[in-house]
Amino acid sequence: MKRKALITGIMGQDGAYLAKFLLSKKYKVYGSYRRNSNYENNRLRKLGIENKIELIDLEINEFASVNYVINKIKPDEIYNLAAMSFVASSFEQPLYTIHTNFFALLNILEVMKNSKKKISLYQASTSEMFGNETQKSIDENTNFDPASPYGVSKVGSHYLVKLYRKAYNLHCCSGILFNHESPLRGEEFVTKKIVKQLSEILNNKRKIMYLGNIYAKRDWGFAPDYVEAMWKMLQLKKKDDFVIGTGICYTIKDFVNLTCKYLKLNTKWVGKGINEKCINLKNNKTIIKISKKFYRPLDVNHLKSNPAKAKKQLNWKANTNLKTLIKKMCDDQNLFISLK
Ligand code: G4F
């Protein structure tokens, strides 16, 4: 009998890579998407797996819908990746963020609690839960101090998982994933925005890019490495929570500079604060400016993981460094531009 996995949020970056990974492990994969959302399976198509997955229409905020789908499929494993995951938007849509990220998980946990079948659940926790708590490496014992409605919603969910594990002995765990990117990353996130817009500038399809806080530091890994960690967590007999990251962090400005280097754009930064800008030395034109529009009411300035527990207990480590990640993203972007 094939093992059955249900992935909520299958249309996102992680959902698509995880589906591909689970298919390679011979799972029967079910993927849920929102009834009212624009049905976009371009990521699944790009990975060549759109016909290998059973897509399920699920309204994750409705208990009846969650109850019906889980009892119909009877999955062995559930990966709850459905979320309002863009931190900046969570300031504009706090209620929607908390509903989608907190109450949806509660629906799943309640169904699991009442189910006779042993179901394992992976919950997508995040480094955004730590906020500006620390400048040091973050591990599973670091205090939470969320700096956005998104971070708050994820802290709540994180504690729900712990509570249901302890109180009802449910097989559930949370992966505290630091930023993870890929060619499938959405354009609203800063890495994809930088790669896409600099590639457009290089190809004379755009003149200028605007960024916000370029001094924030992030610990960026490669999404396909991270979905393997999700699966490994669910294979543990005794479920536990893990920090997943590379252990190295860079500023947004570093990411820009490494991308320019890979694209062979010879650039120089001048000015300070809101007036800082980046100049293309080939023609002396400004290609990057800072805009207040992309600043958040509160930002997380420093995120760096300590993934030692995952290395020891899951035998997992990030295999892709930032330079390789940028190369993968740029090569994909430029192939896309050249095919247009
Ligand atoms: O790419 P970002 O939007 O990702 P952020 O906020 O770190 O969140 C991502 O990673 C989290 C894991 O830590 C996930 F939980 C979350 O769902 C998401 O996947 O922004 C990164 C940094 C921020 O400090 C932001 O202020 O880049 C800064 N930034 C500067 N200019 C910008 C921009 N971010 C965006 N999106 N767009 C800009 O123009």
Side-chain angles (χ1 to χ4, degrees):
M1 277 279 277
K2 275 191 166 189
R3 286 177 70 72
K4 290 184 279 186
L6 168 64
I7 304 173
T8 71
I10 188 99
M11 303 295 181
Q13 166 190 263
D14 292 5
Y17 283 123
L18 178 63
K20 188 169 180 191
F21 177 82
L22 293 177
L23 287 169
S24 78
K25 294 271 176 202
K26 306 280 178 253
Y27 278 71
K28 163 94 181 140
V29 178
Y30 298 84
S32 75
Y33 65 100
R34 217 163 12 119
R35 198 180 309 149
N36 297 327
S37 70
N38 290 334
Y39 176 88
E40 271 188 27
N41 68 352
N42 53 343
R43 291 188 174 97
L44 301 178
R45 225 180 307 121
K46 197 161 175 173
L47 297 182
I49 55 171
E50 78 273 29
N51 297 324
K52 298 185 178 147
I53 287 156
E54 196 157 319
L55 290 177
I56 313 267
D57 172 353
L58 168 70
E59 187 48 70
I60 197 130
N61 286 329
E62 279 175 21
F63 179 78
S65 178
V66 175
N67 193 33
Y68 174 75
V69 165
I70 295 180
N71 282 312
K72 186 172 166 221
I73 297 174
K74 298 191 173 49
D76 299 286
E77 295 174 7
I78 300 176
Y79 295 84
N80 185 34
L81 310 185
M84 205 308 283
S85 64
F86 186 36
V87 177
S89 292
S90 78
F91 286 98
E92 281 143 32
Q93 302 173 30
L95 273 179
Y96 174 70
T97 304
I98 286 172
H99 259 274
T100 309
N101 298 358
F102 182 81
F103 290 106
L105 169 69
L106 191 52
N107 285 336
I108 296 174
L109 289 167
E110 275 296 301
V111 175
M112 283 173 63
K113 191 178 93 183
N114 297 320
S115 166
K116 289 201 176 73
K117 175 162 182 159
K118 181 190 154 196
I119 303 172
S120 298
L121 169 75
Y122 170 87
Q123 164 63 14
S125 281
T126 159
S127 51
E128 278 296 309
M129 299 190 302
F130 300 104
N132 287 305
E133 152 68 20
T134 175
Q135 292 288 301
K136 292 193 219 117
S137 291
I138 292 168
D139 65 19
E140 294 78 4
N141 299 316
T142 307
N143 289 335
F144 297 138
D145 181 21
S148 63
Y150 171 79
V152 170
S153 73
K154 288 289 187 173
V155 170
S157 310
H158 191 81
Y159 280 122
L160 270 184
V161 167
K162 275 190 187 297
L163 178 73
Y164 275 68
R165 192 165 63 209
K166 275 193 202 158
Y168 308 112
N169 220 3
L170 290 192
H171 297 265
C172 45
C173 62
S174 299
I176 307 170
L177 270 53
F178 282 59
N179 297 49
H180 44 288
E181 321 291 311
S182 74
L184 300 188
R185 189 59 147 152
E187 288 170 22
E188 64 275 35
F189 298 99
V190 78
T191 55
K192 181 71 173 190
K193 175 176 171 180
I194 292 168
V195 165
K196 179 173 182 278
Q197 297 199 8
L198 283 178
S199 302
E200 287 169 353
I201 288 169
L202 185 73
N203 288 284
N204 295 319
K205 297 200 181 319
R206 169 184 295 274
K207 289 200 167 79
I208 205 153
M209 164 166 75
Y210 292 93
L211 289 173
N213 175 13
I214 56 171
Y215 290 99
K217 287 187 173 170
R218 289 293 183 273
D219 175 336
W220 284 295
F222 182 43
D225 292 347
Y226 287 44
V227 299
E228 186 176 2
M230 297 176 186
W231 176 77
K232 283 192 161 191
M233 272 179 236
L234 275 201
Q235 309 318 305
L236 287 183
K237 260 207 171 122
K238 191 170 177 299
K239 298 289 183 281
D240 202 353
D241 307 326
F242 289 88
V243 157
I244 301 294
T246 69
I248 303 171
C249 67
Y250 297 86
T251 61
I252 314 302
K253 192 172 173 180
D254 293 330
F255 191 98
V256 169
N257 291 339
L258 286 167
T259 307
C260 285
K261 196 168 175 198
Y262 183 70
L263 294 176
K264 298 197 169 58
L265 271 168
N266 191 10
T267 55
K268 183 180 149 191
W269 289 89
V270 295
K272 275 206 167 134
I274 199 81
N275 296 317
E276 192 164 2
K277 56 187 183 180
C278 181
I279 292 168
N280 183 356
L281 291 173
K282 194 176 162 198
N283 52 16
N284 266 336
K285 288 199 171 141
T286 299
I287 56 168
I288 304 175
K289 278 188 174 180
I290 305 300
S291 164
K292 276 195 175 153
K293 187 178 157 199
F294 297 106
Y295 276 85
R296 298 170 183 181
L298 198 59
D299 205 355
V300 177
N301 291 314
H302 186 277
L303 285 175
K304 181 174 145 194
S305 67
N306 172 2
K309 181 176 165 187
K311 190 171 180 200
K312 193 165 169 214
Q313 294 184 29
L314 300 175
N315 192 23
W316 179 90
K317 74 174 173 50
N319 287 321
T320 314
N321 66 24
L322 188 62
K323 268 192 185 168
T324 311
L325 171 64
I326 288 174
K327 176 184 179 325
K328 285 177 192 289
M329 293 179 76
C330 288
D331 290 353
D332 178 81
Q333 190 62 45
N334 285 302
L335 181 68
F336 178 75
I337 290 179
S338 67
L339 289 176
K340 255 179 142 188

Coordinates of all heavy atoms in Angstrom, one line a residue, residues 140 240-243 306-315:
E140 N 16.4 26.0 19.0 CA 15.0 25.7 19.4 C 14.7 26.2 20.8 O 13.5 26.3 21.2 CB 14.9 24.1 19.5 CG 15.0 23.4 18.1 CD 16.4 23.3 17.5 OE1 17.4 23.7 18.2 OE2 16.5 22.8 16.4
D240 N 9.3 16.0 17.4 CA 9.9 17.1 18.0 C 10.0 18.3 17.0 O 9.8 18.1 15.8 CB 11.3 16.6 18.4 CG 11.9 17.5 19.5 OD1 11.3 18.5 19.9 OD2 13.0 17.1 20.0
D241 N 10.4 19.4 17.5 CA 10.5 20.6 16.7 C 12.0 20.9 16.4 O 12.8 20.7 17.2 CB 9.9 21.8 17.4 CG 8.5 21.5 17.9 OD1 7.8 20.8 17.1 OD2 8.1 22.0 18.9
F242 N 12.2 21.4 15.1 CA 13.6 21.6 14.7 C 13.8 23.0 14.0 O 12.9 23.4 13.2 CB 14.0 20.5 13.7 CG 14.2 19.2 14.4 CD1 13.1 18.3 14.5 CD2 15.5 18.8 14.8 CE1 13.3 17.1 15.1 CE2 15.6 17.5 15.5 CZ 14.5 16.7 15.6
V243 N 14.9 23.6 14.3 CA 15.4 24.8 13.5 C 16.1 24.3 12.2 O 16.9 23.4 12.3 CB 16.4 25.6 14.3 CG1 17.3 26.5 13.5 CG2 15.6 26.5 15.3
N306 N 20.9 28.3 14.2 CA 21.9 27.2 14.6 C 21.2 25.9 14.4 O 20.4 25.5 15.2 CB 22.2 27.5 16.1 CG 23.0 26.3 16.6 OD1 23.4 25.4 15.9 ND2 23.3 26.3 17.9
P307 N 21.5 25.2 13.2 CA 20.7 24.0 12.9 C 21.4 22.7 13.5 O 21.2 21.6 12.9 CB 20.8 24.0 11.4 CG 22.0 24.7 11.0 CD 22.4 25.7 12.2
A308 N 22.2 22.9 14.6 CA 22.9 21.7 15.1 C 22.0 20.5 15.5 O 22.4 19.4 15.2 CB 23.7 22.2 16.3
K309 N 20.8 20.8 16.0 CA 20.0 19.7 16.5 C 19.5 18.9 15.2 O 19.4 17.7 15.3 CB 18.8 20.3 17.2 CG 17.8 19.2 17.7 CD 16.7 19.9 18.6 CE 15.5 19.0 18.8 NZ 14.4 19.7 19.5
A310 N 19.2 19.6 14.2 CA 18.7 18.9 12.9 C 19.8 18.1 12.4 O 19.6 17.0 11.9 CB 18.2 19.9 11.9
K311 N 21.1 18.6 12.5 CA 22.2 17.8 11.9 C 22.4 16.5 12.7 O 22.5 15.5 12.2 CB 23.5 18.7 12.0 CG 24.6 18.1 11.3 CD 25.8 19.0 11.2 CE 26.9 18.3 10.4 NZ 28.2 18.9 10.6
K312 N 22.3 16.7 14.1 CA 22.5 15.5 14.9 C 21.4 14.5 14.9 O 21.6 13.3 14.7 CB 22.7 16.0 16.4 CG 23.2 15.0 17.3 CD 23.7 15.6 18.6 CE 24.0 14.5 19.6 NZ 23.7 14.9 20.9
Q313 N 20.2 15.0 15.0 CA 19.0 14.1 15.1 C 18.4 13.7 13.8 O 17.7 12.6 13.7 CB 18.0 14.6 16.1 CG 18.6 14.7 17.5 CD 17.6 15.2 18.5 OE1 16.4 15.0 18.4 NE2 18.0 15.9 19.5
L314 N 18.5 14.5 12.8 CA 17.8 14.2 11.5 C 18.8 13.9 10.4 O 18.5 13.5 9.3 CB 17.0 15.4 11.0 CG 15.9 16.0 11.8 CD1 15.3 17.2 11.2 CD2 14.8 14.9 12.0
N315 N 20.1 14.0 10.8 CA 21.2 13.9 9.8 C 20.9 14.8 8.6 O 21.1 14.3 7.4 CB 21.3 12.4 9.4 CG 22.5 12.1 8.6 OD1 23.5 12.8 8.7 ND2 22.5 11.1 7.8

